[in-house]
Amino acid sequence: MTQKVAVLGTGKIGEALLSGMIRAGWAPGDLLVTARRPERAEELRTRYGVTPVSNDKAAKTADTLILTVKPQDMAALLDELAPHTPADRLVVSGAAGIPTSFFEERLAPGTPVVRVMTNTPALVDEAMSVISAGTHATPEHLAHAEEIFGAVGKTLRVPETQQDACTALSGSGPAYFFYLVEAMTDAGILLGLPRDKAHDLIVQSAIGAATMLRDSGEHPVKLRENVTSPAGTTISAIRELENHGVRAALIAALEAARDRSRALASGGSNS
């Protein structure tokens, strides 16, 4: 792996990506980082042996630029990069809601852009990263992005028109599970369990259920039915979930997340 890769705006996700790439065999000397605060840049140098640089030097030096700044900061970053970014650089965006056309309009004509929506399980090498090609990105560019993001989890190629839906499902997805665990923990306390025991019970149940979904090949309905005995405890709980419209609420929530992603793409407020 001799290509130089620069991670611009290296926050938690950017750092997870760096760490995963190094574990996957990338040489720290081939990895450049930029950070808003000098002390943050120095911290990354000390921890991983990577090279901190300015944004303009990253654009001039690296073969691949991975932009991990917040969506509201992306236009300013592109204004800074544009004079220094040759058209043969691969630009990878990790910003939610921003289409590849946004980058193509601000960078040199013909610049290949790949859009990636990853999620916070990248911190534990269990990310789901969804990858889409811009107008000038080739299959080789997509494969290179998959190689990078494959270091922290799984990847999936989709048409860019599906990115907003993927953002709602997997980009925001971990938050929904954390929310569910939080609610179930509160229920466990209501039922008389100490918080730590309720937490352990729910987390291990979640890990086991996710592993079964991944490895069994069974439809989730079949797996649920395997737990649901006639006139038993589980069906009583399922009835209450249906009575309270949990399924409809989840669908509405994901539609709201998708619509918010679209609003970000059209310049909506980030608050």
Side-chain angles (χ1 to χ4, degrees):
M1 300 178 184
T2 58
Q3 282 206 344
K4 287 194 176 294
V5 175
V7 180
L8 283 70
T10 313
K12 288 185 178 180
I13 294 294
E15 182 175 355
L17 194 56
L18 280 174
S19 178
M21 291 173 69
I22 291 170
R23 289 193 302 278
W26 292 80
D30 292 329
L31 301 177
L32 311 176
V33 296
T34 77
R36 182 171 296 178
R37 296 179 292 108
E39 57 270 26
R40 170 63 172 165
E42 188 56 36
E43 175 186 314
L44 293 168
R45 183 209 298 271
T46 301
R47 186 173 297 166
Y48 301 105
V50 297
T51 305
V53 294
S54 61
N55 288 329
D56 61 335
K57 185 172 182 181
K60 295 173 186 176
T61 307
D63 301 288
T64 301
L65 306 176
I66 304 175
L67 313 185
T68 62
V69 301
K70 295 178 180 178
Q72 61 265 34
D73 297 328
M74 192 62 77
L77 176 61
L78 290 175
D79 288 343
E80 185 179 354
L81 294 178
H84 309 288
T85 307
D88 63 351
R89 297 290 188 264
L90 171 59
V91 175
V92 179
S93 165
I98 302 182
T100 54
S101 58
F102 182 90
F103 300 85
E104 293 166 350
E105 291 165 0
R106 289 162 174 79
L107 297 171
T111 299
V113 180
V114 171
R115 178 176 171 182
V116 180
M117 182 71 249
T118 192
N119 57 17
T120 56
L123 298 168
V124 292
D125 291 348
E126 291 290 351
M128 184 70 251
S129 300
V130 184
I131 297 175
S132 301
T135 304
H136 310 293
T138 66
E140 289 74 21
H141 292 130
L142 286 172
H144 187 50
E146 286 175 332
E147 181 183 24
I148 292 171
F149 282 85
V152 292
K154 293 190 175 183
T155 63
L156 178 69
R157 294 189 195 185
V158 300
E160 189 170 10
T161 53
Q162 295 177 2
Q163 275 280 354
D164 291 323
C166 292
T167 296
L169 280 170
S170 66
S172 301
Y176 313 146
F177 289 102
F178 299 146
Y179 182 87
L180 179 61
V181 168
E182 178 187 2
M184 290 178 70
T185 301
D186 287 343
I189 294 169
L190 179 66
L191 297 175
L193 292 171
R195 177 175 294 276
D196 59 341
K197 287 185 171 59
H199 176 83
D200 289 348
L201 287 167
I202 295 160
V203 170
Q204 185 56 39
S205 296
I207 292 170
T211 302
M212 290 178 70
L213 279 168
R214 184 190 64 192
D215 297 345
S216 70
E218 296 280 5
H219 193 282
V221 169
K222 175 64 175 175
L223 293 174
R224 178 179 60 77
E225 288 176 345
N226 289 342
V227 187
T228 310
S229 303
T233 59
T234 305
I235 193 60
S236 296
I238 296 294
R239 181 185 63 183
E240 288 304 310
L241 291 173
E242 294 293 346
N243 286 343
H244 286 80
V246 171
R247 187 187 303 264
L250 282 171
I251 293 171
L254 268 67
E255 286 180 328
R258 178 208 58 195
D259 294 345
R260 184 58 181 148
S261 183
R262 290 175 176 173
L264 289 173
S266 62
S269 168
N270 289 280
S271 60

